[in-house]
Amino acid sequence: MKFGGTSVGTPQRMKDVVQLITDGEQNLVVLSAMSGTTNSLIEISDYLYKQNQEGAHTCINKLQDKYLGHIAELYSTDEYKELTTKVVGEIFDTIRSCAKTDFTSLEERIIVAQGEMLSTNMVTNYLLEQGYDVQLLPALEFMRTNADKEPDLKYIKEHAEQVLAQYPHNGIYITQGFICLNVDGEVDNLQRGGSDYTASLLGAAIGASEIQIWTDIDGMHNNDPRFVENTTPVSHLHFVEAAELAYFGAKILHPTCIQPAQYANIPVRLLNTMDPTAPGTTISNITEHRKIKAVAAKDNIIAINITSTRMLLAYGFLRRVFEVFEKYKTSIDMICTSEVGVSMSIDDRTNLIPILNELKKFGVVEVDDNMCIICVVGDLDWRNVGFESIAAQALKDIPVRMISYGGSNHNISFLISASDKQRALQSLSNHLFN
Ligand code: ADP
Ligand code: ASP
Ligand code: MG
């Protein structure tokens, strides 16, 4: 069971979470930091990168005061108020010890990791105060990434099992989402929103019966509720559909968190802490035929086009183009080809300049920045007629840079200008769902 930032965002919410995890089952509970805390820790790091000790310490003290307020509200006994004040004080000492003049990414990662340390200690102590049989498991003892910065599945499984085996009889286990050690044994994390990924990795590692992602909304909606009115929850998604929606911008799920659950074939349920009896979304290997499920949008996309008459009837051209992206470890999201050109989209601009310089050896290169991918997900098997034309019809008034269809049976993607995103999402909802 994973609870996100809003779900543990106040002492009252923490009490609500305790209601849900003490259902008599053996539950492994993954917690995010309280909402706002990771952002505050990043802000503290930002001051430290800028050598502004005063700014950093003002933020640290303010954040600690906030936690002291939470402690006063959460616990009813002096014993647990004192105990938790001490633990929280130690965590803030760790943050202060990182406030060095030679501040590096390692200190930043240690600071950012403390949000999950705070929330898990707070909830564990509350459970103990209430008399529950709970064990706090330090995520850094089993969550680890490899040399490719990917989760080290073998290590995670072996170590999670070892740690759990030390406490075979506990009802509730609490651990930190998001944080891990990297291949060098340094504190690291699974990127923003990474607690979802922790939950699915651990669910797969221990062979859980179900992976529950508890958040602040009643499941995956059929469009982004931050931009579109009248979205509704989708009751069921295939793993591939959920993975594509997550990757293409549905913020409710971390982009890569579906894969471990899919490989282990463990259903994932998206549930609402604010409305625990709502059915939410179930993600499994069951396909519902002839249904468009949802639309998502991915921002900050760059489109690159290369045209060359040398491509005409030539072989090996695409390989040479792709080798440039491989060399700079930049993944391509969308691709469209014609006989004289190829267009691709990327979202990682780290090596954009050297990539463009090398591509210019092959043809005329054009770049469109500030683009966005709109991804329509559902049963888009090519033998089904009609869905792609409805989606295209919905975008009839919007300039479309690229269309990608047929790459999987679950997706049709449109590349449009970011300024048209909201209009496109709303129109797709109107045509596909309303
Ligand atoms: P948590 O802190 O629990 O991890 P997130 O903020 O990461 O929660 O994800 C939940 C939010 O995702 C929702 O409040 C909603 O605004 C946003 N969201 C974006 N797209 C969707 C979608 N298709 N369905 C549901 N929520 C979405
Ligand atoms: N606390 C981390 C973040 O804010 C991880 C998470 O919430 O999933 O990104
Ligand atoms: Mg999240």
Side-chain angles (χ1 to χ4, degrees), residues 320-330 351 354-355 358 361:
R320 278 180 283 143
V321 168
F322 291 154
E323 273 171 359
V324 175
F325 291 89
E326 189 182 345
K327 177 173 166 191
Y328 291 102
K329 295 194 163 131
T330 301
N351 292 308
I355 288 173
E358 294 210 22
K361 293 176 194 157

Side-chain angles (χ1 to χ4, degrees), residues 2-5 31-39 42 112 115-116 177-179 191-197 254:
K2 175 263 173 175
F3 293 86
L31 299 182
S32 293
M34 296 178 84
S35 54
T37 296
T38 307
N39 286 346
I42 289 171
V112 168
E116 274 69 13
F178 180 57
I179 67 174
Q191 309 294 323
R192 295 306 303 268
S195 299
D196 301 335
Y197 204 12
H254 179 277

Side-chain angles (χ1 to χ4, degrees), residues 292-320:
I292 294 290
K293 297 296 185 57
V295 180
K298 187 171 177 181
D299 300 320
N300 297 317
I301 305 293
I302 305 156
I304 302 172
N305 174 263
I306 308 155
T307 16
S308 167
T309 45
R310 277 192 287 158
M311 194 176 160
L312 205 63
L313 298 174
Y315 54 85
F317 184 85
L318 289 177
R319 178 179 55 76
R320 278 180 283 143

Side-chain angles (χ1 to χ4, degrees), residues 61 102 116 138 167 196 225 246 266 296 308 314 319 339 368 386 390 433:
N61 294 344
D102 55 341
E116 274 69 13
Y167 315 100
D196 301 335
I266 298 173
S308 167
R319 178 179 55 76
E339 198 42 53
D368 291 300
I390 302 173
F433 310 123

Side-chain angles (χ1 to χ4, degrees), residues 107-287:
E107 282 78 28
E108 177 181 19
R109 284 177 273 132
I110 295 172
I111 289 181
V112 168
Q114 302 313 310
E116 274 69 13
M117 300 302 287
L118 287 162
S119 62
T120 50
N121 274 286
M122 302 263 300
V123 172
T124 303
N125 281 353
Y126 179 71
L127 281 156
L128 288 170
E129 188 187 47
Q130 300 297 310
Y132 287 104
D133 184 17
V134 57
Q135 184 61 45
L136 179 61
L137 308 177
L140 299 186
E141 287 184 12
F142 43 85
M143 294 307 296
R144 188 159 183 144
T145 51
N146 61 24
D148 295 324
K149 300 188 174 153
E150 299 289 341
D152 185 336
L153 300 179
K154 193 162 164 269
Y155 182 100
I156 292 171
K157 186 173 166 58
E158 275 173 22
H159 287 76
E161 280 172 353
Q162 269 170 28
V163 171
L164 278 166
Q166 293 169 33
Y167 315 100
H169 303 301
N170 285 76
I172 309 157
Y173 306 91
I174 308 264
T175 194
Q176 296 88 22
F178 180 57
I179 67 174
C180 61
L181 293 183
N182 65 20
V183 68
D184 300 318
E186 297 168 349
V187 174
D188 211 327
N189 60 64
L190 301 171
Q191 309 294 323
R192 295 306 303 268
S195 299
D196 301 335
Y197 204 12
T198 305
S200 65
L201 288 162
L202 283 179
I206 65 167
S209 54
E210 184 170 283
I211 297 162
Q212 300 180 349
I213 308 279
W214 290 82
T215 181
D216 57 4
I217 189 164
D218 49 353
M220 177 74 79
H221 277 220
N222 56 12
N223 208 326
D224 193 326
R226 294 168 300 174
F227 301 100
V228 174
E229 284 169 14
N230 301 323
T231 61
T232 50
V234 181
S235 61
H236 187 267
L237 288 168
H238 187 272
F239 286 122
V240 177
E241 293 171 333
E244 291 200 337
L245 287 166
Y247 184 73
F248 286 108
K251 192 200 167 211
I252 187 170
L253 286 175
H254 179 277
T256 54
C257 80
I258 290 300
Q259 198 202 55
Q262 181 181 5
Y263 284 7
N265 197 14
I266 298 173
V268 178
R269 293 183 64 205
L270 309 181
L271 295 157
N272 188 355
T273 327
M274 292 6 137
D275 184 7
T277 55
T281 302
T282 302
I283 303 164
S284 72
N285 64 357
I286 298 165
T287 307

